[in-house]
Amino acid sequence: MEFDPSKIKVLYSQKKLDEMVGRVAKQIEDYYKPMTNEITAICVLKGSIHFYSDLLKKINLNVRYNFVHVSSYSGEASTGKIKVKTWVDESLFDQYVLVVEDIVDTGTTLRYIMNYIKKQKPKDLKLATMFDKKAFDHKVEVNFAGAELENHFVVGYGLDYDQLYRNLPYVGYLDNE
Ligand code: IMP
Ligand code: MG
């Protein structure tokens, strides 16, 4: 796919993103507040960087930050082969763990991450994603979602096309008309 930035159509403006993040933050806070005042939030690099950062600033709990970076071997995504580039550097045992992702698409990477975290025996494990793409029946349990997405390829606010456009302050899609 050729990428022409002049053809990007805004799907979520900065204002809409801010409202969406506020909504998800409220749901998350309401979920944890009766149980705990401390959670471990795991940022799935690189795409959820802005969502993670903005979301956690709106959550009134003690938050331990952690990061994972996992990628599908290029050209082999459908085989489900995963390469771990960075993994958490603190024990997740007995922790309230919240994984923060940008988009669930086929769910391959996330299934791997969630299963791997489960082995570390957290007390509770939940998943928040900015977008839940409905193109695949991904079978990943999403606990907190910003929005559902049609089968658009989107960029901006952390999401890339070929590692670019992550710093657009809005989320847009390619208009190929
Ligand atoms: P999957 O769920 O394993 O297929 O992979 C999802 C990952 O692919 C997401 O975490 C994103 O990093 C990336 N991704 C999926 N859809 C898009 C998109 O529309 N734009 C940018 N990145 C995407
Ligand atoms: Mg991602």
Side-chain angles (χ1 to χ4, degrees):
M1 175 171 54
E2 273 299 305
F3 193 87
D4 178 355
S6 69
K7 288 185 176 164
I8 297 175
K9 281 261 169 74
V10 178
L11 195 59
Y12 284 87
S13 63
Q14 268 180 280
K15 186 166 174 290
K16 273 175 76 180
L17 285 172
D18 190 59
E19 286 164 6
M20 175 214 282
V21 174
R23 238 179 4 251
V24 179
K26 170 87 171 60
Q27 285 173 21
I28 291 173
E29 203 179 286
D30 288 351
Y31 171 73
Y32 287 110
K33 270 274 160 76
M35 297 186 289
T36 182
N37 63 2
E38 182 184 299
I39 66 169
T40 295
I42 299 180
C43 177
V44 182
L45 295 169
K46 304 175 187 171
S48 57
I49 177 87
H50 296 301
F51 178 50
Y52 181 84
S53 159
D54 290 344
L55 181 72
L56 296 181
K57 282 185 283 181
K58 292 181 196 281
I59 292 177
N60 188 21
L61 291 165
N62 295 321
V63 185
R64 307 178 83 91
Y65 279 33
N66 228 309
F67 301 86
V68 297
H69 189 190
V70 163
S71 68
S72 302
Y73 281 102
S74 53
E76 289 186 45
S78 59
T79 67
K81 283 198 176 178
I82 302 287
K83 185 175 178 185
V84 176
K85 296 183 171 177
T86 305
W87 195 252
V88 299
D89 65 353
E90 278 193 326
S91 169
L92 302 178
F93 177 73
D94 226 22
Q95 300 291 308
Y96 288 85
V97 175
L98 176 70
V99 173
V100 182
E101 175 64 301
D102 51 2
I103 290 191
V104 186
D105 186 12
T106 66
T108 307
T109 34
L110 218 44
R111 259 194 304 278
Y112 180 90
I113 289 170
M114 298 305 275
N115 284 337
Y116 217 84
I117 290 174
K118 269 182 208 151
K119 291 185 183 158
Q120 299 184 239
K121 303 219 179 319
K123 192 181 209 94
D124 183 73
L125 176 59
K126 291 287 173 282
L127 171 65
T129 186
M130 182 160 56
F131 296 118
D132 190 355
K133 263 196 189 176
K134 289 299 181 186
F136 292 94
D137 181 17
H138 57 61
K139 297 195 169 65
V140 171
E141 189 188 349
V142 174
N143 304 105
F144 310 101
E148 291 187 358
L149 257 198
E150 307 285 311
N151 198 18
H152 289 307
F153 189 85
V154 289
V155 294
Y157 197 61
L159 295 155
D160 72 305
Y161 174 72
D162 242 356
Q163 297 302 332
L164 291 175
Y165 313 107
R166 294 190 196 274
N167 61 325
L168 295 176
Y170 54 85
V171 169
Y173 68 97
L174 271 183
D175 185 23
N176 285 319
E177 312 291 89

